[in-house]
Amino acid sequence: MRIFSSVRTLAGHFKQWFPKRNIIIISERKVKHVPIGGKTQFLTLALVIFGICWAAYSTGSYMAARTVMKEQRQTLRSVANARVETNFNTMFPTSELTTVNADAPGNPTVASLSDPMYTLSALDHNKLFARIAFLERKVMELKSSNEAIIQRVSDKTSGRISEIESIIKQTGLHVEDLKRELNDGKQAKGAGDKANDNTKSEGGPFIPVGTSAISPREYAMYDNLDELAVLRQIIVNLPLGQPIAEAEPRSPFGHRIDPFNGHLAFHPGLDLAGPTGSKIYSTADGTVVFSGLNGGYGNSIDIDHGFGIVTRYGHLSEVLVKEGQVVHKGDVIGVQGSTGRSTGPHLHYEVRYHDQPMNPANFLDAGHYVSQN
């Protein structure tokens, strides 16, 4: 009975402390009453009290942790200072480090490390030794990082060199021959203008290889970079572009049956047929060396790309460039047609190296690989 009486008493107090209340919300046109029960009021009060207690506990924990960390830093600092003094005393004992007092030349006296000047000197020396050790460690880290960078650059350039050489070989050309062409072209350009020849303007101090700060790995890296620059200069001038868009191959390069007389003949180019009125594009940067009517080729264009390489575009219905004009890869130079010795509208495309015909399909395949990679 006492238990039930206590419960009724608590329930009475609960209703007295947390009676039903209304929150009045007044808007422009109406007034709204929101009832709040005793349980809701009690839970809200409990949450507020819990939040206040948690904030107080967190603040106290943070302040305590901060105090402990501060004491630990002070302890570590005192231990480090004591270790510096101990190391110096170990390396330079007091009995060995004595000197003559210069203030009494007539009657010299011996000074010891108990003098504040020697204590300060000891600390300065230890700081200097620590600084030197730190700098030496940094130098080693930088050297290691530099070697890693050199190795990465060497690996990447070696891979790129192999890739470009493979593309050039795919066309049927020889890398070394093209390098000689490039070198001979530079020499010829220098010989053509003696007054403005700066190809031999060189200088600088003589530093033997043995005394140079450049390591063999760095020399190898620089050689690879030079090699890569030469190969890029070569490949950018190779005719690897598409001379006509959306074209179908008709007659391949090599021996075939002549379409006019039925006899076996050699076809020095590749026939490509596109939609009527298709535009013809330059397959690389170069200079137009012929533009006009050329026998069985009909209206044709020859473009010199350097390195002894010339591309020829035949059977055109319209020629849009002139001799001596500089063109770039992708420039429109003509329109597909059926002029000259032709059975229908198509482009006769040739690639000639020192006036010897090469298979254009190899150049188109190499260009397709370059565009995908």
Side-chain angles (χ1 to χ4, degrees), residues 256 260 267 270-272 280 292-301 312-319 335-350:
R256 68 171 182 176
F260 288 93
H267 187 225
L270 176 66
D271 289 343
L272 300 168
I280 307 302
L293 191 61
N294 185 14
Y297 290 103
N299 293 326
S300 68
I301 300 170
R312 179 169 294 171
Y313 312 79
H315 306 316
L316 305 178
S317 64
E318 188 176 358
V319 173
V335 180
Q336 176 187 258
S338 184
T339 58
R341 197 169 184 269
S342 171
T343 60
H346 70 282
L347 169 68
H348 174 85
Y349 178 59
E350 290 185 16

Side-chain angles (χ1 to χ4, degrees), residues 191-227:
D193 188 5
K194 295 292 184 180
N196 297 318
D197 183 12
N198 294 323
T199 58
K200 295 184 179 180
S201 300
E202 301 174 349
F206 172 71
I207 303 177
V209 175
T211 60
S212 174
I214 301 178
S215 67
R217 283 188 177 182
E218 289 176 285
Y219 272 114
M221 179 188 70
Y222 293 140
D223 288 342
N224 282 349
L225 290 173
D226 291 340
E227 177 77 3

Side-chain angles (χ1 to χ4, degrees), residues 149-193:
I149 293 173
I150 291 172
Q151 187 62 44
R152 285 199 300 270
V153 172
S154 298
D155 292 342
K156 285 185 175 294
T157 52
S158 296
R160 187 59 178 159
I161 287 170
S162 299
E163 185 179 1
I164 294 177
E165 288 180 343
S166 176
I167 293 171
I168 294 174
K169 290 178 182 178
Q170 187 177 349
T171 65
L173 298 170
H174 298 284
V175 176
E176 295 303 323
D177 292 342
L178 295 176
K179 289 180 182 178
R180 281 194 294 271
E181 294 279 355
L182 179 61
N183 188 48
D184 292 344
K186 286 182 178 179
Q187 291 178 353
K189 183 177 181 180
D193 188 5

